[in-house]
Amino acid sequence: MNFYGLGVKYGGFTANPRDIFDECIAHNFWCMGFDEKEKFEKLIDDVKIGDIVFSKAFYFENPRDFSIRSIGFVTDKNIPNTVPDEFKNKHGFAVQWTTIFKQNWHLLSTDDFMPQGFMKGIPKDNSRVGTIYRETNDSIILKIIKEMNGPSFK
């Protein structure tokens, strides 16, 4: 089982980003905003049913502010037919969202979660700022597992 961080803002670093978080939650899916982006399409292809996913918020102006908005698991490699038409031809998959935070859950507020990188909090390849990335930081993975099994599991 792998863990993947998912962006839920189309054009996250543009002047007019569009937040699709509510649509993803309401229709149990996630999709990439780009029409084509080979690097991300490969990652999407690597995702398997049962993998843990989380919608992320990353603020480039403050690399210590990395947070999670929801946690779920992949239930199908295809986007459900019930999504609004604008999402039907996007690259993505079905997700059962199990934990939805009322306020973003901030993870990178202490040095415990700071991977080595050119800016603390950003891996050398800038993966956390992308639309999808595979999380490999053991501290973050453990924190997500504890949240899924802990008293605040929703």
Side-chain angles (χ1 to χ4, degrees):
M1 167 183 11
N2 288 310
F3 289 71
Y4 291 90
L6 309 173
V8 290
K9 277 193 180 175
Y10 286 1
F13 293 108
T14 65
N16 297 311
R18 177 175 172 218
D19 192 333
I20 64 163
F21 177 75
D22 290 336
E23 287 99 332
C24 290
I25 300 301
H27 298 283
N28 289 314
F29 79 104
W30 174 84
C31 69
M32 176 174 70
F34 298 106
D35 288 331
E36 292 183 23
K37 194 90 167 187
E38 188 175 327
K39 171 186 170 181
F40 297 134
E41 289 172 2
K42 166 91 173 86
L43 275 168
I44 292 168
D45 289 344
D46 290 345
V47 172
K48 295 178 178 47
I49 292 172
D51 282 344
I52 303 299
V53 294
F54 53 93
S55 63
K56 64 180 180 63
F58 184 87
Y59 307 98
F60 198 74
E61 63 275 3
N62 182 5
R64 293 182 69 92
D65 195 0
F66 172 76
S67 59
I68 292 178
R69 299 173 73 182
S70 60
I71 303 171
F73 58 93
V74 177
T75 58
D76 195 302
K77 293 283 292 174
N78 298 305
I79 293 175
N81 292 331
T82 57
V83 301
D85 288 342
E86 66 183 297
F87 302 113
K88 287 187 177 179
N89 294 319
K90 299 283 187 182
H91 299 280
F93 38 78
V95 176
Q96 178 63 55
W97 298 104
T98 57
T99 305
I100 301 163
F101 298 99
K102 291 179 182 173
Q103 295 183 356
N104 288 0
W105 179 40
H106 295 272
L107 281 180
L108 292 180
S109 59
T110 70
D111 288 337
D112 294 342
F113 302 115
M114 294 303 196
Q116 298 293 345
F118 69 92
M119 290 173 66
K120 279 194 159 190
I122 304 175
K124 290 181 181 178
D125 65 357
N126 284 334
S127 59
R128 284 200 183 101
V129 300
T131 192
I132 181 173
Y133 80 97
R134 188 168 151 280
E135 182 59 70
T136 58
N137 181 297
D138 290 340
S139 295
I140 291 175
I141 290 170
L142 182 60
K143 193 90 161 135
I144 291 169
I145 290 170
K146 285 181 179 178
E147 182 65 28
M148 292 172 65
N149 293 314
S152 61
F153 184 68
K154 298 161 188 66

